[in-house]
Structures are given as C-alpha cells and as structure tokens.
C-alpha cells in the first residue's frame, strides 16, 4: 500500500502542485513569523546586554508613598551618594547619570524621532565609556552638545554644525562637538539622543547637583552581588535601591520578549487564517483525487485491501505532500523572516545588528504544521472512500449524496449559524471587554455554520446570476450549470475566498466607523481652533500659556492642567482650566445644571458623577496635593469623551495648592480661525520649538486615527496571504474540474462549441464561484463589523456604523478579478484538449 500511495503521488504531480503551494504558503508564514520575532528579540536582548557593559550595579532613588497619598516624594541621588558609591570596597568607578526629554530638530526645523523616543543625557567627563565617540570631542559648557550617529546620519549633521534643541523651555542652538555610537533602545527604535556635559544636563533637566541614577563598575575580582551588598551597607537606608546589571539585563530581556509576544501572536493569527483557508483547498483536492480514483480504490478492495489500508494509503499520500510542502515552506519562511527584518529598516524602524535566528522549535513547528494540516484535511476524504462498497464504486452509484445526508448537513449548519448569530448579538449587549470573548466564540460558530450551509446557499445565489450569464449564450448557461453541479466542491472553493474577505470587510467597516467617530469627537467636543502640546506627551511649561496669551490674533485660550487629589478616600485627577474662557473653547453636551467654572464651582463628566453619586448642586470635599482641603460645588454634569473628561475647576482656585504647575495641553481660539498661516504664526511665536506641537482639529483626529490606519494596512497586507491561498484553491478546483469533465468538453467541441466558447465557459464558472464567495464574505464582514462596533460604541458616544460602499464594491471587484485570473490556466488547458482523445477518456 505504501508503494501504491507513492505511485499515486508521482502520478498526480501536477494536480497536487497547488495543494503543495497552499500548504507551503501557510507554513512559510508560520516559520517566517517565528524566525522574524526570534531574530528581533535576540537582537534587542543582545543590544540591551551591551548597554550594561559599563555598569555592574545601578543605584536609584526609592519611591516613598506618603501615607497612601498619590503624591509621594522621591529622594534625590546627591553628589555625596555618588562619592560614597565610588569609595565602597570593590568599586572601580561610579558614574552619575542624568536624563530627560530632549527634542532635536532637523535642518528644516522638524522634530527628529517619535517624540517620546527623543532623549537627552549627560556625557561623563572627557571620555565616557558608555558612548564611544566616532568623531569630535566631548561637549563642555551650555553651548556644546554631542548627538548619536544614527540621528546625525538621518539629519545630515556633522561635527561643527549648529543644531536646534529644546528640553523644557526656549530653543537652544548649541554646536555639535562630537558624534557617538550607542546601544540605547530608543535610538535603535528610531529616536534620538543628545548629550551635554554633566553640569549643563543637570541644569537643563531641573536636577541641579543631583542624579537620576548612579552606575557603579566593579573592580577586578568583585562580583556584582558582593558590590551590591557593599553599596546597600554604605548608602542611606530606605532612600535608595540597588540592582545588579544581570538583573537589569534579565528584566530588560523579559520585557522585550513580552512586547514581542504580542507581535508574534498577531502574526501567527494571520498565519493560522492562511492555513485555515489552505485546509479547504487540501480537503477539496483530496476529495476530487479520491473521487477520480474511486474505481481504482474499489479494485484494491476487491483484491483484498481493507478499509483501514485504503484510508492509510490516502493519508500516506497526504504525508508525502505535507512533508514536501513543509520543507519548502520552512525555506521560504526563513527568507520571509530575513525580508521582514530588512523591511523594518526601509520604514524607519532601526533594528540592532544580529544573526538570523532559526531555532529547533521553528523547524519542528513548520514540519508539524505542514504535515498535520495536510493529513487532517485528507483524513475525511480517505475515510469516505474506504466506506464505499467495491461493487457500488465500480458502478459509480455512490456519487449522489443521499437526501438524509443533505438534511443532516443543512440542519447542522442552521444550528451552528443560529447559535453563532445569537451569541454575537448577545455579546453586543455586554460591557466592553466582557463581550470580546463571547463575540469571538459566536463569530467562529457562525463562520462554521455558513461554511456547512454554503452548498445550500450556492444554488439560489448562483441562480441569481442567470440573467447576466444569458448574455454569453450557451457558454454562460453551461457555466451556471457547472457551478451548481457539485455544490460541495463549489462551497469549499468559495469558502476559502469568503474567509479572507470577511476579515478584510469587517476591519474596513470598523476602521471607517472609528475614523468618523474620532472626527465627530474632535469637532463636537472642542470649538478651539488649535491644541498645543508637547511632542512626547509630557507636560508643558506654564511659560507657553503666557506666551500665547500675549500673541496677537488669539481671542481665547486655556491650559488643561492636571493635579492629583483625594476625594471620598479615592484618588482623582483635577483638571485646572481658565474658567472664563473654557466655555468658548469647548462644546460639551451638558446633561444637567449650568456650565460654569469659577471659584469653588466645578463641572464634572457623567461617568465621574455617576461613580460618586453626584448631580448638579452636589458638594464634595477635595484634598489637594499640599494636604489642604476645600469644599467644591458641582455646577453642571457634562457628557465626557476620550478627549475631555474629569473634574474641571478654575486654575485660580487650583494654583495656590500646586508647587510645580504644568499644563498637559493648551486650547487656543484665534480671530482668523484655523489656517496654515495662523498655524505658522503660532509656531513662530513659540520659537519654532521642535518639542511643541501645534495641531488643529483635523491634525488631532488624524494623529489618533493614524494608529488604526497603520493597523488596517498591516491587516490588508497579512490577509493578502489568505487571498493568494484562496486563488490557488480556485485554480486547483477548476483544473481538476476540467480533468473530470474531459469527456464532456470533448463532446461539446464535437457538436460545435469552439475553443473560445470553452474558455469563456470555464472563466464564467470561475467568476460566478468567486463572486459567490465574495458576496458571502462581504455580508459576514459587515455583520461582524457592526457587532464589534456595538462594543466600541458603549465606550465612545460618537461611534456610529459607517458602511464603506465604495470599498465593498472594490472588494467585490477584487473577488471577480480573482476568479478571472484564476481561470486563465484551466480555461486554456480545457480549450487545448483533443476532442477525440477527450471523448475516449474515462
């Protein structure tokens, strides 16, 4: 039986090629994902380990909670602590580390890096081992700076150039005296690093005479643990905490592995989708192969082969096909992993150097996935073939499915579909994350149910195409009949395309609805023309608001100032605003009361009011960060959203209780409204500071939606793999269908249908099947997009379903294009058949 199975594989090489390709693509995606994520994780871990080469024990200030208050005091690492650390037994040297946000502008004045990845620090002495200089000298004084080599390369800077830099105040224009290399993870991720001498860095970052960290290097023969013990004994108790470099490296490696696990899981989900789609093709292929060899298998049964042997022979064929596909997929996956890493560089995401990592787990996973998926998909056709009695198989009476089996299939499909719809609808009534798992489960049930019902659905939906197909005469009529001749095969072929389009449509519906919701939120909640904020999301200096209030053309402005407090024993953040102007800068829907922010009168969003049981006219006591208490009155309850929420009170009331006030954002309204010239004027008034962002409402909504757009584009790219696999399925099905109908095609040629008519028939058949899959996929996608949107809408009042009709028409056109392209080779093959040879074939 083994020899028989091997002979069958070799005899049907061309027919199995598409199956091998389908399995190979899925395996390539899985192995490529594993190679890529393992390689990136290893590169970052090695890079982070190099970053601890110059430190054996790190000393940091220990956070102390002030009796449970949210406002605790962090002790400072003083020069005395640094001197003590350098003198403990076993210490070779001690370095004081100072760091903070530092924005570097390119030669056009635009920020380099991603805001939060723009960092600054101190260069220790004249030769800092942490930052080897590639050119120039160490910075000295406030007019000098050193920058990392990646930033210098991206912006075209060199030693001697003047660069615009902002820390937390006016723009600085120091001269670049040195360019250095670094293993800093932020720089590797596309950020920037600027270094000043220690005194300048301490002054710029508001840490005069103190440090953020002390890095201690052990003397020869001293272990990290021993040095840590000595430091713990020498430094003040309860004010500092020490960590060995090994522990820091291990924690960093764990963090990197954890962050990469999300990416790996996401990529593997799409690999699973490609494999799931491929499973339909494999099952379809083996079903047709077994059907074509029914008489051969019957003969084997007649000469003594058992049912188990027949099933085993089919599984052996699947094993050989799966093994070949798995090996090819592994090789392709290694190439995909290397390509994805190279692609990271082209989109601006810098990855540390390192080797391509191919683990034994990756190899075993690729082989296991390829072989198991293929054998599982082939098991049912093999088992079905083994059950056919030899006499029935020889007479081909087994070919027609019984009424009982069709009723059972349709009943099962209806139950699955009904249960899936019910669970999904029930999930939409749940609260946020609670409904995610039930909705996912319901979606799986519904997709399985629709797949089971697809043969039943194919007849009415394909019949609806009859009026259009009549235009093509006899070729169109034959195409429609061929499409419904074997509903199960048509269903399996269409389902592969259906799954890909379901996901693409669902994501598109959600993304379009979210974009509109964000636009509505920005336009409805904010009537200000501009929102001013820091590029890294940190707090703005109060000087920015002072500058804006004296700028011509500004009619109203208000900072949004966060301040911690305790109310009813719980922590709450207060938002300080300009009470006289906030009403002109926002357009919030008031649920009750009169919107007034002045003195002790405050306005509260609906969620906060509900959690405390407040309403308009309620009073409550707040404890400020300085420990003082004050009674406030709720003048109004407003409808909060993701942009504006919380307790708003007048800054005149809040300011006396703040020791270091800072603003998160500043809302600005101008006489001329939002325009490019007005925006330029505001940016110039702020000193063309690269650290400060000036955004209008469109900029704000675009920056929020940018994340969704990026994710959507990634999803489109990843789901393209599933669509490619589906195309292979259509080609495979048509090619084998042409082989099955060789005699019929020969007869059609003999009675007068020319080669063009044959080609047209096969193409139209492929087009109808593909459009059938497309209609199902788009319909399910819209349903799932609506359901997911119901969960999002519970947290976002402005969310409303948006049906992207133009995109859906494009997806349907894509499905039709897939059908036409997939039919090119099978149609050509059918037209080339010799009519006499075809008529004589069995």
């Amino acid at each position: 039986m083994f020899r028989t199975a091997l002979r069958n594989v070799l005899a049907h090489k061309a027919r199995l090629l598409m199956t091998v390709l389908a399995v190979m693509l899925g395996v390539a995606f899985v192995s490529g994902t594993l190679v890529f994520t393992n390689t990136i994780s290893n590169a970052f871990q090695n890079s982070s380990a190099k970053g601890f080469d110059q430190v054996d024990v790190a000393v940091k200030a220990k956070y102390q909670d002030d009796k449970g208050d949210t406002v605790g005091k962090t002790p400072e690492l003083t020069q005395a602590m640094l001197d003590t650390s350098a003198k403990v037994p076993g210490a070779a040297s001690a370095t004081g580390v100072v760091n903070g946000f530092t924005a570097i502008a390119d030669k056009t004045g635009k920020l380099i890096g991603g805001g939060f990845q723009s960092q600054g620090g101190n260069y220790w002495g004249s030769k800092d081992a942490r930052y080897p200089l590639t050119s120039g000298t160490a910075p000295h004084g406030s007019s000098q700076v050193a920058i990392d080599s990646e930033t210098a390369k991206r912006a075209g800077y060199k030693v001697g150039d003047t660069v615009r830099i902002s820390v937390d105040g006016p723009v600085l224009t120091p001269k670049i005296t040195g360019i250095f290399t670094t293993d800093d993870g932020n720089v590797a991720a596309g950020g920037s690093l600027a270094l000043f001498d220690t005194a300048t860095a301490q002054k710029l970052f508001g840490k005069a005479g103190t440090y953020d960290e002390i890095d201690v290097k052990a003397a020869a023969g001293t272990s990290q643990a021993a040095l840590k013990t000595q430091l713990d004994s020498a430094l003040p108790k309860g004010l500092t905490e020490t960590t060995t470099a090994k522990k820091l490296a291990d924690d960093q490696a764990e963090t990197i592995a954890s962050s990469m696990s999300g990416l790996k899981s996401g990529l593997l989900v799409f690999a699973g989708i490609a494999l799931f789609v491929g499973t339909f093709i494999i099952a379809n292929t083996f079903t047709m192969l077994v059907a074509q060899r029914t008489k051969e298998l019957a003969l084997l049964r007649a000469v003594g082969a058992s049912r188990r042997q027949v099933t085993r022979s089919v599984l052996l064929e699947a094993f050989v096909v799966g093994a070949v596909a798995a090996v090819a997929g592994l090789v392709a996956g290694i190439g995909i992993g290397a390509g994805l890493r190279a692609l990271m560089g082209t989109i601006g995401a810098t990855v540390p150097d390192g080797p391509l990592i191919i683990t034994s787990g990756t190899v075993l996973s690729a082989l296991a996935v390829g072989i198991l998926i293929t054998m599982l998909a082939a098991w049912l056709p093999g088992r079905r073939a083994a059950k056919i009695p030899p006499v029935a198989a020889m007479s081909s009476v087994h070919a027609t499915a019984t009424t009982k089996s069709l009723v059972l299939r349709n009943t099962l499909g209806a139950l699955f579909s009904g249960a899936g719809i019910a669970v999904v609808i029930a999930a939409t009534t749940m609260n946020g994350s609670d409904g995610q798992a039930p909705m996912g489960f319901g979606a799986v049930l519904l997709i399985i149910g629709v797949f089971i019902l697809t043969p039943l659905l194919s007849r009415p939906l394909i019949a609806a195409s009859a009026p259009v197909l009549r235009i093509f005469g006899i070729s169109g009529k034959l195409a429609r009949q061929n499409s419904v001749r074997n509903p199960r095969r048509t269903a399996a072929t269409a389902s592969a395309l259906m799954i890909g389009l379901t996901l693409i449509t669902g994501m598109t519906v959600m993304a379009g609805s979210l974009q509109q919701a964000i636009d509505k939120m920005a336009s409805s909640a904010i009537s200000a023309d501009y929102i001013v904020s820091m590029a890294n999301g940190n707090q703005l200096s109060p000087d920015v608001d002072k500058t804006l209030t004296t700028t011509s053309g500004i009619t109203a402005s208000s900072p949004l100032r966060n301040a911690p407090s305790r109310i009813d024993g719980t922590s709450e953040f207060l938002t300080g605003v300009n009470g006289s102007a906030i009403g002109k800068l926002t357009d919030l829907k008031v649920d009750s009361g009169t919107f007034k922010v002045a003195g002790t009168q405050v306005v509260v969003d609906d969620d906060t009011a509900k959690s405390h049981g407040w309403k308009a006219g309620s009073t409550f006591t707040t404890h400020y960060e300085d420990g003082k208490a004050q009674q406030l009155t709720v003048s109004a309850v407003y409808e909060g959203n993701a942009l504006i929420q919380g307790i708003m009170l007048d800054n005149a009331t809040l300011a006396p209780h703040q020791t270091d006030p800072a603003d998160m954002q500043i809302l600005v309204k101008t006489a001329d409204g939002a325009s490019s010239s007005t925006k330029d004027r505001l940016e110039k008034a702020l000193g063309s500071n690269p650290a400060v962002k000036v955004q209008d409402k469109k900029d704000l909504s675009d920056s929020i939606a940018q994340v969704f757009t990026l994710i959507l584009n990634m999803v489109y790219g990843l789901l393209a793999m599933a669509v490619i696999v589906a195309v292979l399925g259509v080609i495979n099905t048509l090619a084998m269908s042409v082989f099955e109908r060789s005699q019929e095609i020969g007869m059609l040629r003999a009675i007068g249908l020319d080669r063009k008519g044959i080609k047209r028939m096969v193409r139209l058949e492929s087009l109808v099947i593909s459009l059938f899959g497309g209609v199902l996929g788009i319909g399910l996608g819209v349903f799932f997009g609506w359901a997911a949107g119901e969960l999002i809408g519970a947290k976002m009042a402005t969310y409303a379903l948006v049906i992207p009709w133009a995109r859906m028409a494009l997806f349907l056109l894509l499905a039709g294009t897939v059908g036409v392209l997939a039919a090119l080779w099978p149609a050509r093959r059918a037209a080339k058949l010799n009519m006499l040879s075809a008529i004589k074939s069995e």
Side-chain angles (χ1 to χ4, degrees):
M1 293 303 291
F2 177 77
R3 287 197 300 270
T4 302
L6 187 60
R7 181 184 61 80
N8 284 326
V9 171
L10 296 174
H12 303 117
K13 293 188 290 291
R15 300 183 214 172
L16 292 170
L17 177 62
M18 297 300 174
T19 303
V20 170
L21 284 173
V23 179
M24 184 193 78
L25 284 172
V27 171
F29 211 157
V30 171
S31 55
T33 295
L34 295 175
V35 169
F36 171 66
T37 52
N38 288 338
T39 297
I40 298 299
S41 295
N42 182 74
F44 276 113
Q45 285 170 12
N46 288 343
S47 176
S48 67
K50 288 178 186 176
F52 298 115
D53 285 347
Q54 302 303 320
V55 55
D56 287 304
V57 178
V59 181
K60 293 186 179 180
K62 187 176 182 181
Y63 180 81
Q64 297 212 324
D65 188 73
D66 186 14
K67 298 180 181 180
D69 285 345
T70 57
V71 187
K73 293 184 179 179
T74 303
E76 297 174 332
L77 297 179
T78 62
Q79 183 65 40
M81 291 179 183
L82 175 62
D83 295 339
T84 301
S85 300
K87 293 174 183 177
V88 299
S93 63
T95 303
V97 178
V98 184
N99 51 52
F101 168 67
T102 302
I104 305 178
D106 60 19
K107 291 184 177 181
T108 65
K110 301 299 182 184
L111 175 69
I112 298 173
F116 65 92
Q117 296 167 332
S118 303
Q119 297 295 315
N122 66 312
Y123 193 94
W124 190 254
S126 58
K127 191 174 182 182
D128 194 330
R130 298 172 301 166
Y131 307 111
L133 289 168
T134 58
S135 61
T137 58
H140 293 288
S142 59
S143 62
Q144 295 184 359
V145 69
I147 65 172
D148 69 274
S149 55
E150 288 297 325
T151 298
K153 184 179 176 182
R154 286 201 301 269
Y157 284 130
K158 61 184 183 297
V159 172
D161 287 347
T162 297
V163 61
R164 292 174 63 81
I165 288 178
S166 176
V167 177
D168 185 17
V171 174
L172 308 173
T173 54
K175 184 172 154 184
I176 299 173
T177 62
I179 293 174
F180 58 88
T181 59
T182 177
D183 294 311
D184 188 282
N186 285 314
V187 174
S192 62
L193 180 61
L195 300 178
F196 309 90
D197 67 16
T198 301
T200 302
Q202 288 175 325
K203 181 181 178 182
L204 289 174
F205 301 134
K207 299 162 186 173
T210 64
Y211 302 94
D212 293 298
E213 182 176 313
I214 297 172
D215 291 344
V216 186
K217 185 74 176 169
T222 303
S223 68
Q224 292 182 358
L227 180 59
K228 181 180 185 300
T229 302
Q230 292 289 346
L231 287 166
D232 287 338
S233 301
L235 293 170
K237 303 293 183 187
L239 298 181
T240 60
E241 56 184 356
T242 57
T243 312
T244 63
K246 184 180 184 306
K247 178 69 165 57
L248 290 172
D250 290 344
D251 290 346
Q252 184 84 305
E254 187 177 337
T255 301
I256 292 169
S258 176
S259 63
M260 292 304 295
S261 68
L263 174 63
K264 183 186 290 187
S265 299
L267 290 172
L268 286 175
V269 165
F270 290 102
I273 293 168
L275 284 170
F276 185 56
V277 172
T279 302
F280 290 125
I281 300 171
I282 300 163
N284 217 12
T285 300
F286 277 94
T287 298
M288 289 187 283
L289 285 174
V290 169
Q292 291 168 11
R293 289 165 38 214
T294 300
K295 291 186 178 181
E296 176 189 326
L297 295 175
L299 184 60
L300 288 174
R301 291 287 311 282
V303 297
S306 65
R307 288 184 177 181
R308 184 174 296 176
Q309 285 178 311
V310 170
T311 303
R312 197 177 297 159
S313 71
V314 176
L315 290 178
L316 280 171
E317 290 181 47
F319 175 82
V320 174
V321 171
V324 171
V327 171
L330 175 61
V331 173
I334 293 171
I336 288 174
L340 285 173
R341 177 177 171 167
L343 183 64
M344 295 281 283
T346 63
I347 61 175
T350 308
V351 179
D353 292 332
L356 204 63
I357 304 299
I358 305 165
T359 64
S360 57
T362 299
V363 175
L364 291 175
S365 297
L367 294 175
V369 166
I371 293 170
L372 288 177
I373 289 291
T374 309
M375 292 184 71
L376 284 173
W379 175 74
L380 188 60
R383 185 170 175 270
R384 190 184 296 132
K387 281 186 173 183
I388 301 170
V391 175
M394 295 294 284
S395 60
S396 297
V397 298
H398 67 286
T400 306
T402 63
T403 303
K404 181 180 178 182
S405 70
L406 291 175
V407 170
L408 179 63
R409 180 185 179 113
N410 294 338
T411 302
L412 195 63
L415 290 173
F416 268 95
S417 299
I421 292 171
V423 172
V424 168
I425 291 176
T428 62
T429 63
M430 297 180 183
N431 184 25
S433 57
D434 294 339
Q436 291 178 6
M439 184 168 291
F441 177 66
V444 171
L445 287 178
L446 180 54
I447 287 176
I448 292 172
V450 170
F451 171 67
I452 296 173
L453 285 175
T454 307
L456 178 66
L457 296 173
S458 66
R459 290 187 177 275
L461 288 177
I462 291 176
S465 65
V468 178
L469 292 176
R470 286 197 193 101
I471 299 172
F472 300 96
I474 191 64
S475 295
K477 183 178 180 181
L478 290 171
R480 184 181 64 81
Q481 291 174 348
N482 290 335
S483 300
V484 296
R485 178 184 297 181
N486 192 331
R488 289 186 179 182
R489 183 190 303 164
T490 297
T493 305
S495 295
L497 195 59
M498 175 192 78
I499 292 169
L501 284 176
T502 295
L503 294 168
I504 291 173
T505 304
M507 290 296 296
T508 303
V509 169
M510 286 176 58
S513 301
L514 275 171
Q515 177 66 67
Q516 179 176 280
I518 293 166
D519 290 342
K520 279 184 180 178
M521 189 187 300
S523 60
S524 62
I526 299 174
S527 56
D529 296 317
Y530 292 99
I531 301 96
V532 180
S533 62
M534 287 289 280
N536 65 336
N538 282 354
Q539 296 178 328
L540 285 161
S541 166
D543 292 337
V544 176
D545 181 47
K546 292 176 183 176
T547 301
L548 288 172
T549 54
T550 58
T551 302
S552 63
I554 293 181
T555 57
S557 69
S558 172
L560 302 182
R561 182 173 298 170
N562 280 357
S565 71
R566 292 187 71 80
I567 301 171
D568 298 336
T570 61
S571 299
E572 289 282 2
F573 270 93
L574 305 174
T575 301
V577 298
N578 181 346
S580 61
I582 192 66
K584 304 172 188 175
L585 299 165
T586 58
D587 189 17
L588 299 167
K589 181 182 177 184
V590 177
D591 293 338
S592 61
T594 303
F595 194 94
K596 184 178 181 180
V597 182
T600 59
Q601 290 186 305
V602 302
V603 294
V604 183
D605 71 288
D606 46 3
D607 287 340
T608 303
K610 184 178 179 182
S611 66
H612 288 281
W614 297 337
K615 57 185 179 180
S618 297
T619 59
F620 62 91
T621 301
T622 183
H623 295 268
Y624 296 108
E625 60 183 295
D626 62 355
K628 295 182 180 179
Q630 186 175 30
Q631 190 176 70
L632 302 175
T633 303
V634 178
S635 65
V637 176
Y638 67 91
E639 193 175 283
N641 55 62
L643 295 178
I644 297 180
Q645 56 186 320
I647 304 169
M648 286 194 281
L649 77 163
D650 199 337
N651 273 326
T653 305
L654 177 64
H657 303 285
Q658 289 186 293
T659 55
D660 187 20
D663 305 326
M664 294 305 298
Q665 293 177 326
I666 300 173
L667 303 181
V668 179
K669 196 169 187 65
T670 62
D672 299 331
S675 66
S676 58
S677 59
T678 304
K679 184 175 181 180
D680 289 341
R681 191 170 71 249
L682 290 178
E683 289 177 341
K684 286 177 182 177
L686 295 172
S688 299
N689 195 322
V692 179
K693 289 192 300 185
V694 178
Q695 298 176 293
D696 60 21
K697 286 185 280 190
K698 186 177 185 309
D699 293 332
L700 183 64
S701 62
D702 287 348
S703 65
I704 299 172
Q706 188 177 7
V707 179
F708 302 113
T709 304
L710 179 62
I711 293 172
L712 185 64
N713 289 337
M714 286 180 63
V715 169
Y716 283 161
L718 293 169
L719 288 177
M721 181 70 75
V723 174
I724 291 171
V725 175
V727 171
L728 293 175
V730 177
I731 296 172
N732 208 20
T733 300
L734 289 173
M736 301 191 77
S737 178
V738 166
F739 177 83
E740 277 187 352
R741 304 202 311 262
S742 295
Q743 192 175 52
E744 174 189 322
I745 291 170
M747 288 295 295
L748 289 171
R749 290 289 315 284
I751 61 174
L753 189 61
D754 60 11
R755 288 185 174 180
K756 285 185 179 179
I758 296 292
K759 284 183 180 180
R760 191 180 300 118
M761 176 187 74
V762 176
R763 287 171 186 163
L764 288 172
E765 179 183 348
S766 175
L767 180 63
V768 167
I769 293 173
S770 297
L771 288 176
F772 169 55
V775 169
L776 286 181
I778 291 171
L780 284 174
V782 170
F783 176 71
F784 290 140
W786 164 81
E790 290 296 298
L791 288 182
I792 297 171
K795 296 289 184 181
M796 188 180 287
T798 55
Y799 185 91
L801 181 67
V802 175
I803 304 295
W805 296 107
R807 285 282 182 98
M808 293 194 328
L810 184 63
F811 295 155
L812 199 59
L813 180 62
L814 173 65
T817 305
V818 165
V820 172
L821 294 177
L824 291 178
W825 178 65
R828 189 166 177 269
R829 185 168 178 263
K832 278 191 169 185
L833 285 175
N834 183 288
M835 68 178 73
L836 295 178
S837 300
I839 290 171
K840 289 190 293 181
S841 66
E842 294 187 7

